[in-house]
Amino acid sequence: MSLAGKVALVTGGSRGIGAATARLLRQAGARVVFSYRAAGEQAQKLVAECGGEDVCRALKQELATVEDGAALIAAGAAVFGRIDCLVVNHGIWPPHDQPISEMTTAQWRTTLGVNLDSVFGLVRGFVAQVESHVPKSGHGAPNVVGARGYIVLVASTAAQRGEAYHADYAASKGALLSLTKSLSSELAAQGILCNCVAPGWVRTEMSAGTFADPAASKKALGTIPLGRAAEPEEIAGPIVFLCTPWAGFISGEIFNVNGGAVLVG
């Protein structure tokens, strides 16, 4: 499971699933760059926890547009010279219920800008820098043991079963499932593996409001056979696995990490 010698970029890495992923990547030996938007104090604490700036670096970056994603790839690659593993973890989930008939254009565009447009910029930039830094052999096969690069997109069970009153979020995450499959079809033969982890309910700051409401918490947990929400580390584990040679024959997969929740409407 060693990632010694590898460099990983994690978006939205200052807390929650992203922070747990950064920690586990460091434990596996990778150098880590992670982005944050506003949680600067948490970001710096995580850098120190992960061994300091020689092996872990935090970059402040908005991720709301294609251009934002491209800018983060450029800045991230400059830190340690390259990026081998891209973990696209950032995203927003407007916590208020919003009927589609009342959803504003601004909300729709904001959610898709953060959750989808920036992802395009990230992926496009990442693939270009892998192609420029990691050569192929003369016959087109990767000239390294294992893959040339790894992409892990973090979606949601909402991508597959939908989520009433959160159509913007579900649509944006659903697009990541199709993007995973499209990228796999295009890039796997080049040695760049793309997979997706789709969590269910996870105890993070983003879901804290739901679990603080007894009625909402009971409804959410009632859909999970394990009877509880995941801890961030339980999502980070599968993400990091998909960046290792042990996942070298896995491409285009949607890994459901949801405690057994039934993925039907």
Side-chain angles (χ1 to χ4, degrees), residues 8 10 18 21 46 50 68 103 105 114 120 156 186 227-228 234 257:
V10 181
T21 301
L46 181 60
C50 288
D68 289 342
M103 185 176 292
T105 301
V114 173
F120 168 59
S156 167
E186 178 178 341
R228 64 174 179 85
E234 293 175 304
V257 188

Side-chain angles (χ1 to χ4, degrees), residues 28 86 153 194:
L86 172 64
L153 306 180
C194 181

